[in-house]
Amino acid sequence: MSFQDLGVRADIVAALQRGRAIAFMYRKLGEEPTTRTVEPWGVVVRSGNSYLVGHDVDRDAVRSFRISRIAGTVKVTSRECTVTPDGDLRALVVDSDDGAEMTAHLR
């Protein structure tokens, strides 16, 4: 894990503790980075990689993001988190690889 990954994880934890959404640049393989706004639920380690799991505000869907693909810094926003996870976060990362549907409940 790189020093940047550790900083990103610290920013995610700060947002979790404050109940706030985060904004960051995310780069998918072979694509230009795009801005994402996410209500974070937690960090999961799978196969040696760390993933942010949460509600993607812009896509109104559950998503997982490989932390090593987050470009630059993470900004904690003033937006309060409004969606909570339904189920085990580790299972959400596994399901996201399968293309399976994931659900979340509004509180």
Side-chain angles (χ1 to χ4, degrees):
M1 181 176 305
S2 72
F3 285 116
Q4 178 178 346
D5 290 356
L6 290 172
V8 167
R9 286 177 71 152
D11 292 338
I12 293 168
V13 169
L16 284 164
Q17 291 172 337
R18 294 174 55 198
R20 300 288 187 219
I22 55 177
F24 54 88
M25 296 296 290
Y26 188 74
R27 50 178 196 275
K28 287 184 174 181
L29 287 177
E31 295 182 21
E32 291 296 316
T34 58
T35 301
R36 297 315 250 306
T37 302
V38 175
E39 295 179 0
W41 296 340
V43 175
V44 173
V45 177
R46 178 169 177 250
S47 301
N49 296 306
S50 296
Y51 295 86
L52 162 66
V53 181
H55 177 252
D56 186 320
V57 174
D58 302 315
R59 288 158 180 79
D60 193 26
V62 177
R63 294 286 193 265
S64 61
F65 302 90
R66 190 167 165 172
I67 289 180
S68 63
R69 293 186 186 153
I70 293 176
T73 60
V74 171
K75 177 186 174 197
V76 178
T77 71
S78 60
R79 178 189 176 96
E80 289 188 21
C81 293
T82 58
V83 178
T84 57
D86 182 24
D88 179 33
L89 295 183
R90 294 172 297 204
L92 295 177
V93 172
V94 172
D95 288 346
S96 70
D97 289 345
D98 300 335
E101 183 176 320
M102 295 178 272
T103 60
H105 294 285
L106 299 176
R107 52 174 144 141

